[in-house]
Amino acid sequence: PQLADSAPAEYRELVDGHQRLSLNFRFGAGVSFLDSRAERDLARLAAYMREPAQRGLRLKLVGFTDTGDLQFAQEMISIDRAEYIAYRLTALGVPIDRVRGYGGASPVAGNDSEAGRARNRRVEVW
């Protein structure tokens, strides 16, 4: 996908030359647990990564939050969420290459509505 010009340089470097999968793991406001759809997505992703064509590949997980006043806290939340997904995928035998969080940087929707904020609270899979 085309990254926004405002995306952090480190994020751009991290994903440069990598393919983003079409699924995102989403989180509710202030929570770090997954809904039933995300639980199914974990299983689907693990099955996909076990396919012969994917063997030897490793995933990069990149976490984001909706925006907040405390940038450091938002970055820590985004890292925690990405690490949680990494933990769950590793338990399913999926190799993880890198986990990183960028807080409220690079939103995919406006933060002026709950629907937009919900889209921004995500972990991308590359």
Side-chain angles (χ1 to χ4, degrees):
Q2 184 69 27
L3 299 179
D5 292 336
S6 61
E10 182 184 333
Y11 169 53
R12 292 172 165 285
E13 291 173 21
L14 178 71
V15 300
D16 185 42
H18 293 81
Q19 181 181 20
R20 181 173 170 191
L21 298 183
S22 61
L23 97 123
N24 287 313
F25 293 99
R26 300 204 188 275
F27 295 83
V31 296
S32 292
F33 61 85
L34 300 172
D35 62 17
S36 59
R37 176 182 174 185
E39 292 289 344
R40 288 189 305 272
D41 286 344
L42 282 169
R44 280 185 331 136
L45 181 54
Y48 172 75
M49 291 299 291
R50 284 191 289 270
E51 291 177 4
Q54 311 320 320
R55 291 211 176 111
L57 296 180
R58 299 173 65 86
L59 299 177
K60 294 181 186 299
L61 302 174
V62 184
F64 295 93
T65 63
D66 48 356
T67 59
D69 294 332
L70 302 172
Q71 182 177 354
F72 176 75
Q74 294 299 317
E75 188 170 318
M76 293 308 298
I77 291 169
S78 67
I79 292 169
D80 286 347
R81 289 175 175 167
E83 286 179 347
Y84 176 71
I85 298 298
Y87 168 79
R88 295 289 305 275
L89 288 171
T90 300
L92 295 171
V94 176
I96 305 297
D97 177 49
R98 182 94 191 265
V99 176
R100 183 67 175 97
Y102 292 101
S106 201
V108 294
N111 281 303
D112 52 349
S113 70
E114 178 51 35
R117 288 187 299 276
R119 289 189 60 212
N120 291 328
R121 294 187 298 263
R122 70 194 187 281
V123 173
E124 297 176 350
V125 181
W126 291 80

